[in-house]
Amino acid sequence: MAEPRRIALMPGDGIGQEVMAAAAEVLQALDKLTPLGLSWDWLEWPSTDWHRRHGEMMPADAMAQVQAYDALLMGALGDPGPLSDANRYCLPDSVSLSPLLQFRKGLGLWACERPARLLPGAPQYLADARAAEVDMLVIRENSEGEYVNQGGRLHRGSADEVATQLEVFTRRATERLIRHAFVRARERLEARGRGAETRHFHCADKGRAGAQVCLITKRNAQPYWGDMYTEVFAEIAAEFPEIGVHHELVDAACMKFVQCPWTFDVVVASNLHGDILTDLAAVLSGGLGLAPSCNINPDSRAMPALFEPTHGSAPDIAGQGLANPAAMLLTTALMLDWVGCAQAAERLRQAVAKDLATAAGQRRTCRDVTAGVIAALH
Ligand code: IPM
Ligand code: MN
């Protein structure tokens, strides 16, 4: 018998608690159907509650502890407490969200993947009927760029104050990111080839292609990194002649995400551009309640990967059982893929889709959706 893969369940704050309970129930149901070969531990950290009790979001040796796991499944972080409570335990974002960035950086999880596919039955916010075809994968640089957290403030609070915020882009991180985007595009092309219908994307240089990578930059205003990204993109694109290529500036990309989102396939973007575009992509796929996300090191399984939905802790609805666990469940499917349970992952994705299609338009609680998905697994 192979050693079971080890998963850490980290519910975190706010609706993280509710959606993680849903994920655990669904994992148990899947395991009953076909043993997954997984073992999972519940961790109370990182969380604002842990901070309340211990003065920090997670134990000092947390980074060492998590290395015992193959995957970290996280709910959400950030808990401002009830607004009515004058003494509420309210941490600044820079504290409560720091474990997320620490895990991404400290575990070398340099790619953030956020698939956005509009499932039948999900809210469609765009009027154009073709918006139902949205099926894109945004790959976000996750280790550097605008998130290096270097800079400072000079003459703080005075009229002469100066704030600097450094952005760092390395060729090494750019190459691995863009190559990974093309690898994913090739996988999508192969999967489409096996399916009945094939999508086609218009490409300036290749006419039509069955899969495409779109590079996002802001090179008209930020030419240094924009040009380096564009050059690396051209070099790597040459290794993938079957994949179409496309370029957009980030502002125009925002417009086209709304105007013609079905023309995007794999999208590759810097850390900050990817962050912004993936909230937009989440809406295109029915909202944050349906948007999964993962942080991985595609080159190495030595470190645990981190799986957390794109949504936050939603303090306005936390504790009421109203959160939609679908994003968490689709994130759990990404995790199952990562730990080698591809069949269970696909089964879970289909169950979420089936449940959504059946219940289209109804207002449902976290419990309703969880029960519906479990029923649809069978
Ligand atoms: C996300 C979030 C984080 C990010 C925040 C919470 C730091 O918005 O995962 O998209 O900016 O990466
Ligand atoms: Mn974000």
Side-chain angles (χ1 to χ4, degrees), residues 13-327:
D13 296 327
I15 62 164
Q17 297 284 337
E18 299 149 52
V19 298
M20 185 62 80
E25 239 184 271
V26 168
L27 278 173
Q28 238 144 16
L30 275 168
D31 190 53
K32 248 197 208 148
L33 289 168
T34 324
L36 298 172
L38 302 178
S39 74
W40 50 84
D41 296 338
W42 288 88
L43 303 191
E44 292 174 38
W45 49 266
S47 69
T48 300
D49 192 51
W50 185 272
H51 195 288
R52 206 174 276 126
R53 288 181 278 138
H54 304 274
E56 51 191 5
M57 288 297 291
M58 51 186 186
D61 66 346
M63 291 305 287
Q65 284 198 49
V66 296
Q67 287 181 35
Y69 295 97
D70 296 285
L72 315 177
L73 189 60
M74 192 190 267
L77 290 179
D79 177 11
L83 289 172
S84 54
D85 179 358
N87 300 314
R88 67 197 215 271
Y89 195 77
C90 187
L91 297 171
D93 283 355
S94 60
V95 174
S96 64
L97 304 177
S98 62
L100 199 56
L101 300 175
Q102 263 173 276
F103 287 146
R104 288 179 187 168
K105 288 213 178 89
L107 301 173
L109 308 175
W110 53 261
C112 175
E113 295 191 338
R114 294 183 164 170
R117 189 166 133 220
L118 187 71
L119 296 169
Q124 184 180 323
Y125 292 102
L126 297 177
D128 194 311
R130 291 202 70 188
E133 294 167 31
V134 165
D135 181 7
M136 62 169 102
L137 172 65
V138 183
I139 302 181
R140 163 184 178 186
E141 207 293 320
N142 220 22
S143 68
E144 55 172 37
E146 308 89 339
Y147 276 60
V148 291
N149 197 28
Q150 295 292 305
R153 289 173 68 178
L154 203 59
H155 312 306
R156 207 179 265 253
S158 82
D160 296 322
E161 180 161 358
V162 178
T164 58
Q165 186 89 44
L166 187 68
E167 304 186 0
V168 175
F169 300 84
T170 63
R171 179 171 277 266
R172 190 188 310 280
T174 308
E175 282 177 359
R176 69 188 180 191
L177 175 79
I178 290 175
R179 180 165 286 106
H180 180 61
F182 277 95
V183 167
R184 285 295 195 228
R186 183 179 270 168
E187 287 168 11
R188 285 162 79 86
L189 183 64
E190 282 163 8
R192 284 184 190 130
R194 288 197 297 272
E197 61 192 274
T198 304
R199 294 177 70 198
H200 287 282
F201 300 90
H202 286 280
C203 310
D205 58 338
K206 296 193 179 99
R208 287 161 79 78
Q212 184 189 77
V213 181
C214 178
L215 175 69
I216 310 286
T217 65
K218 183 60 187 168
R219 66 187 295 222
N220 56 349
Q222 299 198 305
Y224 302 117
W225 76 263
D227 288 353
M228 182 177 75
Y229 260 60
T230 305
E231 285 161 28
V232 168
F233 187 73
E235 284 163 28
I236 292 174
E239 299 169 22
F240 296 82
E242 75 279 29
I243 308 295
V245 294
H246 191 67
H247 296 261
E248 290 291 352
L249 298 170
V250 66
D251 48 350
C254 288
M255 180 185 74
K256 290 182 183 172
F257 266 33
V258 174
Q259 206 170 38
C260 50
W262 55 88
T263 61
F264 291 91
D265 187 15
V266 175
V267 175
V268 63
S270 73
N271 211 332
L272 179 63
H273 290 176
D275 176 46
I276 296 166
L277 287 168
T278 51
D279 266 32
L280 192 46
V283 170
L284 298 175
S285 63
L288 282 168
L290 285 157
S293 169
C294 64
N295 306 271
I296 59 176
N297 179 342
D299 300 327
S300 162
R301 309 247 155 182
M303 289 291 193
L306 170 64
F307 300 81
E308 31 119 23
T310 303
H311 66 63
S313 58
D316 52 331
I317 57 162
Q320 302 172 43
L322 298 177
N324 186 353

